[in-house]
Amino acid sequence: MKTYFANNENVEHKWYLVDASNKVLGRLATQIAKYLRGKHKPEYTPHADAGDYIVVINASQVRVTGKKELEKVYYRHSGYPGGLKETTFEKQQEKDPKKIIEIAVKGMLPKNPLGRAMLRKLKVYAGAEHPHDAQQPTLINLEKVKEKVE
């Protein structure tokens, strides 16, 4: 038998819907990154884009633990000397809550053209409405279920 390698011709990209309301940011972002990379599929191949499309709704209701709501800082630079800007999590959530999830997931993907292609398959919306009804995304629950051992 030959080893199976996924490539762009033989990979089917599905659409999934994720509700981010009352989910912890980091735990949600790791699960989203796993689906974008395709690691949930048996035909996962590191050098190919085998991941699926993810539509995240209610991004404005994502939460963080501890004092991060007041102390977590997002940095960006204008490109000019002294152009470092900083924003707290609280202010960023008021201004553009989509960016919070996008930044968290971006940090968990490869830093190369393949990672940027994966990030393009992430669609984030602050509210419950999204324009991807035609793709019929499947609602998935990304919370890990703890089984009781007796």
Side-chain angles (χ1 to χ4, degrees):
M1 271 186 75
K2 290 192 170 233
T3 305
Y4 174 80
F5 284 110
N7 57 29
N8 292 339
E9 288 82 42
N10 59 11
V11 173
E12 181 186 343
H13 300 287
K14 294 182 181 169
W15 284 74
Y16 291 108
L17 181 67
V18 176
D19 188 2
S21 57
N22 289 325
K23 298 273 193 330
V24 179
L25 176 63
R27 293 168 193 263
L28 176 70
T30 55
Q31 295 293 318
I32 291 171
K34 179 177 81 170
Y35 274 79
L36 287 173
R37 288 203 70 186
K39 284 194 155 192
H40 65 290
K41 295 180 177 181
E43 61 264 13
Y44 167 71
T45 308
H47 63 269
D49 188 5
D52 295 320
Y53 288 86
I54 301 288
V55 179
V56 181
I57 57 172
N58 296 322
S60 59
Q61 297 172 18
V62 74
R63 63 184 182 91
V64 288
T65 58
K67 295 195 264 180
K68 286 189 275 275
E69 193 160 336
L70 303 172
E71 295 178 0
K72 183 171 177 58
V73 180
Y74 293 99
Y75 296 99
R76 63 189 191 283
H77 200 282
S78 67
Y80 290 97
L84 185 66
K85 311 280 185 192
E86 53 182 57
T87 311
T88 62
F89 175 85
E90 197 174 32
K91 289 180 182 172
Q92 185 68 35
Q93 200 166 26
E94 291 171 12
K95 183 181 171 195
D96 189 13
K98 303 183 323 182
K99 210 77 167 138
I100 292 171
I101 293 179
E102 288 171 358
I103 290 170
V105 172
K106 182 181 178 182
M108 298 178 187
L109 292 175
K111 279 65 172 176
N112 56 28
L114 182 61
R116 290 187 287 278
M118 291 172 184
L119 194 63
R120 280 193 289 272
K121 293 188 299 187
L122 176 65
K123 317 291 183 190
V124 184
Y125 300 97
E129 300 297 317
H130 65 88
H132 304 287
D133 289 328
Q135 284 75 28
Q136 299 172 345
T138 307
L139 181 65
I140 53 172
N141 185 11
L142 294 181
E143 290 186 10
K144 292 184 179 176
V145 178
K146 293 183 181 176
E147 295 180 11
K148 223 177 184 182
V149 178
E150 290 184 31

